[in-house]
Structures are given as C-alpha cells and as structure tokens.
Amino acid sequence: MFGKILIANRGEIACRVIRTARRLGVRTVAVYSAADAQARHVRLADEAAAIGPPPARESYLVARRVIDAALATGAEAIHPGYGFLSENEEFAAACAAAGIVFIGPPAAAIRAMGNKSAAKALMEAAPVPLVPGYHGSEQDAAFLQREADRIGYPVLLKPSAGGGGKGMRIVDASTGFAAALASCKREALSSFGDERVLVEKYITRPRHIEIQIFADTHGNAVHLFERDCSVQRRHQKVLEEAPAPGMTVERRREMGAAAVAAARAVGYVGAGTVEFIADQDGRFYFMEMNTRLQVEHPVTEMITGQDLVEWQLRVAAGEALPLAQERLAIHGHALEARIYAEDPSRGFLPSTGRLVHLALPGESAHVRIDSGVEEGDEITPWYDPMIAKLIVWDETRPRALARMREALAACRIVGVTSNVEFLGRVVTSASFASADLDTGLIEREGEALFPPSRALPAAALYAATAALLAHQAARSARRAASEDDRNSPWAATDAFRLNAVAQRRIVFRAGESEHVVTLDQAEGGTRMSADGAPRAEVGVIGDATGAFVLAIDGLRQAMRVVVQDERHHVFMADGVHVLTHVDPLAAVAEGHGVEAGFAAPMPGKVIAWLAEPGSDVAKGTPLIILEAMKMEHTITAPAAGRVVRFRFGVGEQVSEGAELVEFVVAKP
C-alpha cells in the first residue's frame, strides 16, 4: 500500500478519499485553488498545496501544477477523483512519466473510451449492443444533418469527447437540427476542448442503467451489479439507486457480462462504469464508459458492503481484486439524492453564497452523508454547486424510500437556494414511488414537481414572530448586561402595561406579498392574528437553537426558525417558508431594479449575442447566452421591444444581478 497519495480534486470526493486513505494508514495531500484555500478537503488532509487561481483551467485542470505538487510533497500516487483530470489520458501518461502512480486506468484505456465514436466501434467488435447512430469522424454540419435525417427523429446529439450530460441536445425535427448542433458544439468545446459530436437515435422513454466494473493488473475483472440513474434533469443525474427496480437475474447477468467484456476489450484497470440505455421492455444498448469512479458509487457500496475507494487504492498498488465475482452479492436497496445549491423553479440555476446554516441528518447504518462543505463554507461560482450526497439504505426499496423521505425532511439549508424540497417532491411522486422510471420522469411529473406558489400558513407567521420576539429579548438582555443599571425598566421586553394589554403590529414580506401579524400580549398569554384572521391563543416553547413548539389554540406544532439578518427561514412539515421582517423604522430603497429578464441570474461569462444592437425583437426572442459552471443559460426578451445595446461583450465575466442588456419596451 502507498505511504502518501495526492488527491487531484476538491469537494466531497476529495474528502471521501481522504477518509478512506486515513483508515488504511495512508497520508494525504490536498491541492487547492485560491478559492478553496479554506475548503473542507484542505482542512482534512495531512498536507495541502496551492496550485493556482480560482478558474479550474488555471488550477485543477493544469496537469503540470498537480504533478509538481505531488513531486514536491513526496506523494507516490495521485487519485484524480471524478471530473477535472480524471479522464485525461495526457495526465495519466504524464503521471507515469514522472514516476507517479495514476490511481485509474492506463492512458490507452482512457483514450479508447474517451472518444465516444471510437468507443462505439470497439464495442461493436466486442460485441456489445449499440444504439443506431453515426459515430464517425466526419463533422460537416450538412453531412451530420443528412445522417440525422437517415436515422430518423428524434435524435440525440452528444459531444464525442465528454460526459456528465454536458452539451447533449435532443432534436425532434430536421428544422431544429442546425441550431441544436451549433449549441452542442459550442458547449462541447467549452467543456471538453473538443467540438466533435456524434448522432444517435433517441430512445423514447429510456432508462439509464449503468454497471460498476473493476479490473486489476492480474487479469481479473468483475462487475458490482447495476445502478438505475434514470431520474435526470438536462441529462444530469438527480437521484440514483441500486439495484435497478425490475431487473431480472437473467438481464443482470447479460448486462454484467457485456460490461466486463467492454472493460476487457480495452485492457481496463481500476474502477469504471459502463453506461447503458435501456428500453422499457428491457433491451439495452451501450452508451459510453466512464473511466473513473462515479458520483453515485455510494449506492453500490451500500448494497455490496464494499469500499470502492479502498479497492481503487489496492488495485493501483498492484494488489489483486479483493473479491471474485461469485463472492459478490446484493443486500438490500440504496438511494442517493444529490443536494445542490440551485433553484429548480428557475431552471435549476446555480446558487452561490455562504452556508449560514447547514443541518443534515445524522449518519447511521441506514443514512450516509458525503459532503465537501460545512456550515460557514462558501458555495462559489467557480465549481460544481454540490452541497452533499444523501445516501440511504434499507432491506427493501419501499423501506429505503421511506428513509429517504424522512432524511430529506430533516435537511435545513440557509444562505443559498437548494433543491431539497424539489428532491422531496420527486421521491414522493407517483412515478418514482411505483418505480415507473425513465429519463423523462421530471418533465412527465412536472405539474407535481413544479407546483404553483403555495399559500403561506398562519403557523409560519406565528413561528417567525416568536423567533423575532426571542431575538429582540435576547438583544435587550445583552444590552442590559453591558450597562451599569442592569435592572433598568427600559431593558424589559415583557408584556407589562399599566392597566392595559400590550399590542404590536409586525409585518413580514414573503415573495411579493406583505403579511401582518397583530399581537395582544398580557400576563395571561399571547393572542395572535395573521392577516386579519380571528385571533388565536399562541403559546410558545423555544430554545436558543431556533426550535419552537407552538400551541395554537391548544394544537401543538414543532418547527424550526433560522434567522439570517431580517430573513426568517421557517422549516415546517410542508417545507421551508422564507419571511423577511419589514422594519418600519428602516429606510427601504425601492425602484432600483432592472428590467425583468435582464439581470444576470447567476455569475457567469457571456458566450454569445443572439440579437443585433438596434434590432427590434418579439417577446421570447433569445438575446444573450451566459455560461456558468459549464452550462449554458439563454436570456430572452420579456416583451416586444428594441435591443439598444449589450452591456457586456462576448467573453466577459458578469456578476449575479448585473444588467445585461439595455432594452426599450415597444409601446402598445
């Protein structure tokens, strides 16, 4: 086993590798960019080395800097994690040239599977079933369109050199092919440095099923069964589970054998994932091979009882696989939810900021948390906005599903917008609960997953009011303690009034609406009214952690309130409600917003203008494309009008909220 390894990655995977290495007695070196100097993986590692500025292309993607850090610290091997340099054949070859073990497959295997077109040809010879399509080297736009017309629509455009769903485009008709191809090539070049694409028949209602494989340098190769990764948005996975619901023993054997054949065809070593697309009737086709560990590998670990990172380290150190195929077995069912800082209601736009409050379920034999951040850390615009992976296990799928619902309900995140409530709706949706799975599940269940704004319950207002009063009382107590006269009546915040009832009016804003809570406070208790409703007797039991039990006319409800400046985040059984206290004594600036649709929804880079300055456009016309976290976001005209000018040029960085376009709305 190695004495010291370097982890050429960040976030939860870096933290995960560090934990496994420590258990095996292996010392670790973390690398970090300027944006990650205080990151969790840096704090956990035995040593850390700076490798450059925040942009990944100037730090985590610079192979020479990573290798120099390994040489300087005496690391014998480099674990690439996933993403960044994990599937870069030049990096794997450079490690070997420097005398450093690359904890992954040989450069030749990465090369063979890294180009999807070449990989398809290899799999056809293996033989492994393939989806009908064009996987050749000809990239002329007219030729590719003719191929798409020949294959028949809908077709799927995919970057030849990439993965992770980036750049994929579904084309439903020949008329939309040219625009989709241009967009696919642009994103492929940005994400992978290679604009080549392939064209495949798009399978209607496909399931995404992948097989975890492992091979060593002694000629052994096994599969560790399958994962179903069908729940996706924009071709990126949201929920994963193992084993795949409805998988028969015979089909599992066939898919496992095909995956192992794919690995052997390229002389594979280490961990890899062979991804298949499957019809609803069970037929499956090779899609691609990821020559690395996958984000969703924990569900495989949970059902097999194996540590795949430990397997990686042992195989890279020259050991044989820990177990043969016949000794591997499935036990129970596991689910993984990817918790991201993103806003599902705004097209899953990433959210950035400080994690003011981060409470996740406690870990146990049934619940596991993999995270690269802690409370107080920043989610920056530079990297993937993952907060944590929530993994649950139980004996059966229904029981595991119940645990996932319970675990998601226990998540409380303040400081960034998260997808926790959206995930909760997915796991309670009819399709997911009944395992009616395909990659279009989110779109198919759209009405349930993206509901209209819900009514604000009076209990949320009462809880926010209780938190506000508790905060004010604590502040007054601190002031009184710092003054000479600690018994001054001016420090009191109780309900005493001479021969009268204390009355207050408190205003909160939720979204665009204002809500008024009126209080009558007296020695006998407190009565509250929300938005003019009949007054209710409200008893409050609270503590310093923000936990409250409200007794509303004798009916008790438990909830938690997290206060961030004037914002009160009220966590209830139906989700979180965000209420902003409107201080009547504070000066509130109004009217300084920008035209709706023209504020940058997140930090990013302008990559294209889609209209000419001075041109008249209709409502909904695409105007400008932003790229953030390797994803494109198109800003459209909110109304008919004229584009006066663009405030940022192509290639320029913009901050969240920056006004992008000077626009004049057409007169009716």
Side-chain angles (χ1 to χ4, degrees):
M1 183 53 68
F2 305 109
K4 182 188 290 187
I5 64 170
L6 180 143
I7 300 100
N9 217 295
R10 63 178 306 280
E12 50 84 23
I13 183 57
C15 295
R16 167 66 205 287
V17 175
I18 290 168
R19 288 196 302 272
T20 295
R22 179 172 296 155
R23 180 171 55 78
L24 297 174
V26 178
R27 292 182 60 80
T28 55
V29 180
V31 294
Y32 63 92
S33 73
D36 275 341
Q38 304 301 320
R40 189 183 185 206
H41 73 283
V42 176
R43 301 193 296 267
L44 287 177
D46 297 303
E47 302 174 47
I51 54 170
R57 64 181 178 276
E58 299 176 34
S59 51
Y60 292 105
L61 287 171
V62 183
R64 188 69 257 168
R65 291 184 179 178
V66 174
I67 291 173
D68 286 347
L71 293 172
T73 57
E76 304 156 64
I78 293 178
H79 193 298
Y82 33 70
F84 293 144
L85 295 168
S86 63
E87 294 180 280
N88 187 301
E89 62 177 283
E90 288 83 7
F91 178 61
C95 287
I100 298 170
V101 175
F102 177 74
I103 302 176
I110 298 176
R111 183 183 311 114
M113 287 299 184
N115 184 298
K116 289 184 174 60
S117 297
K120 300 279 184 179
L122 278 171
M123 295 304 100
E124 192 170 22
V128 176
L130 297 180
V131 177
Y134 175 73
H135 313 119
S137 59
E138 176 60 60
Q139 293 292 299
D140 176 72
F143 173 83
L144 291 175
Q145 177 141 15
R146 287 195 298 272
E147 285 297 299
D149 293 343
R150 176 186 62 80
I151 295 165
Y153 296 91
V155 298
L156 180 66
L157 293 172
K158 299 166 61 175
S160 183
K166 290 182 173 62
M168 287 187 182
R169 300 291 186 273
I170 298 171
V171 188
D172 293 315
S174 183
T175 53
F177 185 86
L181 176 64
S183 180
C184 178
K185 282 180 170 289
R186 187 166 54 240
E187 193 168 338
L189 186 63
S190 172
S191 297
F192 312 114
D194 187 337
E195 69 171 7
R196 290 174 297 170
V197 304
L198 52 83
V199 186
E200 290 182 344
K201 178 68 177 175
Y202 183 71
I203 305 298
T204 304
R205 292 205 63 200
R207 288 178 67 179
H208 183 137
I209 297 177
E210 59 190 31
I211 304 289
Q212 175 71 60
I213 60 99
F214 242 101
D216 61 24
T217 56
H218 303 275
N220 303 308
V222 301
H223 67 84
L224 289 91
F225 314 111
E226 79 283 354
R227 301 184 284 256
D228 193 305
C229 306
S230 298
V231 183
Q232 303 178 7
R233 49 97 172 140
R234 294 190 301 207
H235 305 293
Q236 292 189 309
K237 300 162 188 172
V238 174
L239 284 160
E240 302 96 3
E241 59 184 303
M247 178 68 72
T248 65
V249 174
E250 294 77 13
R251 186 57 46 81
R252 177 175 292 125
R253 187 182 299 114
E254 290 176 17
M255 295 185 76
V260 170
R264 291 189 183 281
V266 294
Y268 202 79
V269 174
T273 305
V274 182
E275 303 199 1
F276 295 97
I277 193 167
D279 282 334
Q280 290 295 316
D281 63 7
R283 288 178 300 175
F284 62 93
Y285 309 95
F286 174 84
M287 185 165 56
E288 63 185 13
M289 182 177 184
N290 287 299
T291 52
R292 54 174 169 81
L293 202 62
Q294 292 279 82
V295 176
E296 58 273 17
H297 74 272
V299 292
T300 296
E301 294 182 323
M302 297 291 267
I303 65 166
T304 61
Q306 303 302 312
D307 183 329
L308 298 189
V309 173
E310 179 178 342
W311 278 43
Q312 284 188 297
L313 297 180
R314 292 193 180 282
V315 166
E319 297 181 25
L321 292 178
L323 293 174
Q325 188 70 62
E326 61 271 14
R327 294 185 60 196
L328 290 164
I330 295 173
H331 177 52
H333 199 94
L335 298 161
E336 176 181 291
R338 302 187 185 195
I339 299 176
Y340 278 101
E342 63 182 15
D343 188 348
S345 68
R346 300 173 65 202
F348 298 95
L349 289 178
S351 176
T352 59
R354 187 170 69 89
L355 291 166
V356 175
H357 180 79
L358 177 61
L360 300 173
E363 294 196 79
S364 67
H366 294 277
V367 178
R368 167 177 160 180
I369 303 291
D370 283 10
S371 179
V373 295
E374 296 174 320
E375 185 171 291
D377 287 347
E378 292 277 339
I379 301 295
T380 75
W382 299 107
Y383 313 114
D384 185 86
M386 179 181 283
I387 297 172
K389 297 186 308 194
L390 171 60
I391 309 103
V392 300
W393 175 91
D394 214 312
E395 295 286 348
T396 65
R397 187 178 191 268
R399 289 171 62 176
L401 193 52
R403 289 197 181 274
M404 177 60 80
R405 291 168 181 155
E406 181 181 4
L408 285 170
C411 295
R412 297 186 299 276
I413 300 169
V414 174
V416 296
T417 302
S418 82
N419 65 340
V420 168
E421 288 191 55
F422 172 77
L423 291 169
R425 291 192 291 270
V426 173
V427 299
T428 57
S429 68
S431 291
F432 192 80
S434 63
D436 181 16
L437 305 175
D438 65 77
T439 57
L441 183 148
I442 288 177
E443 289 76 15
R444 192 172 72 250
E445 292 274 2
E447 188 173 339
L449 301 182
F450 301 95
S453 299
R454 59 195 162 172
L456 181 67
L461 288 164
Y462 296 156
T465 300
L468 178 66
L469 296 178
H471 175 73
Q472 291 175 343
R475 183 174 57 190
S476 295
R478 288 193 299 270
R479 287 177 179 172
S482 65
E483 295 175 357
D484 294 335
D485 185 3
R486 298 190 178 186
N487 297 313
S488 169
W490 303 110
T493 59
D494 57 26
F496 175 77
R497 295 292 186 276
L498 185 62
N499 299 322
V501 173
Q503 293 185 330
R504 291 188 63 179
R505 182 177 183 274
I506 297 175
V507 180
F508 292 99
R509 181 179 295 112
E512 301 298 320
S513 304
E514 285 196 350
H515 302 269
V516 178
V517 177
T518 55
L519 294 86
D520 292 344
Q521 292 177 282
E523 292 295 334
T526 301
R527 296 178 67 81
M528 296 187 192
S529 172
D531 295 330
R535 278 172 164 70
E537 190 75 32
V538 181
V540 181
I541 303 171
D543 60 35
T545 65
F548 290 90
V549 175
L550 298 187
I552 304 172
D553 286 337
L555 181 64
R556 291 195 168 203
Q557 291 189 53
M559 55 195 76
R560 186 173 293 272
V561 183
V562 178
V563 180
Q564 177 191 16
D565 300 324
E566 297 302 314
R567 288 184 174 182
H568 292 63
H569 301 255
V570 183
F571 292 88
M572 303 176 63
D574 70 335
V576 62
H577 300 273
V578 182
L579 306 173
T580 302
H581 175 229
V582 180
D583 187 345
L585 300 180
V588 181
E590 298 288 350
H592 296 293
V594 297
E595 180 75 47
F598 292 109
M602 69 286 172
K605 182 173 71 174
V606 176
I607 61 170
W609 291 355
L610 302 180
E612 291 294 326
S615 63
D616 293 322
V617 297
K619 179 180 179 180
T621 300
L623 300 180
I624 191 170
I625 298 177
L626 289 184
E627 181 189 68
M629 301 178 185
K630 299 297 184 184
M631 297 179 68
E632 292 187 4
H633 306 276
T634 301
I635 309 299
T636 61
R642 173 167 295 180
V643 177
V644 178
R645 68 185 180 96
F646 292 100
R647 294 184 178 273
F648 296 90
V650 174
E652 288 191 77
Q653 290 288 142
V654 300
S655 59
E656 183 175 358
E659 188 175 358
L660 300 172
V661 185
E662 188 174 324
F663 187 82
V664 176
V665 176
K667 294 181 179 180

